[in-house]
Amino acid sequence: MEPLHPRIRLLWIAKGALQALVVGLLLVVLDQFIADVPVSVIAVVIAIGLVLTSVYAIRLYQIWQYELQDDALYLERGVITFVETSVPFVRVQHVDTQFGPVERVLGLSSVVVYTAGSRNADVRIPGLTPDRARDLQDALRELAVESEADDAV
């Protein structure tokens, strides 16, 4: 099983910090217009949010793994709800590599695998270096083409 690049933790922690700050801003608005919320309560809520999201991001990084098996892409992820996903190569429709602005700053990218079917028809592998993402995209594309002759069931 392959882990994600360690820098993905920074992205997840930054997203969590942003969420904690939004909650803090909502408490400030609540303080101004509806109820009197002490500044110490706002600071504690933001601090707890930062700690919880940091712990969550670190634990998620420890669990998130993927692997190219003989006939499928296999993923394991999740902290509260653990999810195992197996994507048969015969179900792969197309594969994209994405580079969001924050990911580019961190030198990361994602691979998105689109599959046949209606429920959860795509699988995203975040936290890859651009070179690894392109290599994985090429490998998945080749494996999908090779498996076209196989039955999808």
Side-chain angles (χ1 to χ4, degrees):
M1 299 289 288
E2 278 189 63
L4 303 178
H5 194 281
R7 283 192 298 251
I8 192 65
R9 294 176 294 190
L10 297 174
L11 178 64
W12 290 337
I13 290 170
K15 284 182 179 181
L18 185 61
Q19 292 169 347
L21 291 175
V22 167
V23 169
L25 287 173
L26 290 174
L27 288 174
V28 168
V29 169
L30 179 69
D31 175 50
Q32 294 295 316
F33 297 108
I34 299 173
D36 191 25
V37 180
V39 174
S40 60
V41 170
I42 296 171
V44 167
V45 167
I46 292 173
I48 290 172
L50 291 172
V51 168
L52 289 177
T53 57
S54 296
V55 169
Y56 182 85
I58 290 166
R59 184 68 185 132
L60 183 59
Y61 170 75
Q62 293 170 340
I63 294 170
W64 223 118
Q65 302 178 79
Y66 67 96
E67 176 180 49
L68 290 178
Q69 296 179 338
D70 292 336
D71 62 344
L73 169 66
Y74 179 74
L75 303 101
E76 292 181 349
R77 63 208 183 276
V79 174
I80 296 170
T81 302
F82 185 74
V83 179
E84 294 177 337
T85 303
S86 181
V87 180
F89 297 134
V90 71
R91 307 281 288 167
V92 173
Q93 298 292 309
H94 68 279
V95 184
D96 287 342
T97 302
Q98 295 180 348
F99 306 87
V102 178
E103 286 177 315
R104 282 193 304 265
V105 168
L106 293 173
L108 298 173
S109 61
S110 298
V111 169
V112 182
V113 181
Y114 296 91
T115 62
S118 58
R119 191 178 84 82
N120 295 331
D122 64 325
V123 174
R124 185 173 187 265
I125 304 173
L128 303 172
T129 63
D131 290 338
R132 178 62 185 128
R134 285 185 195 98
D135 290 345
L136 184 60
Q137 179 185 21
D138 292 342
L140 286 167
R141 184 179 20 226
E142 289 172 16
L143 290 165
V145 169
E146 288 174 11
S147 67
E148 280 182 350
D150 294 340
D151 188 22
V153 179

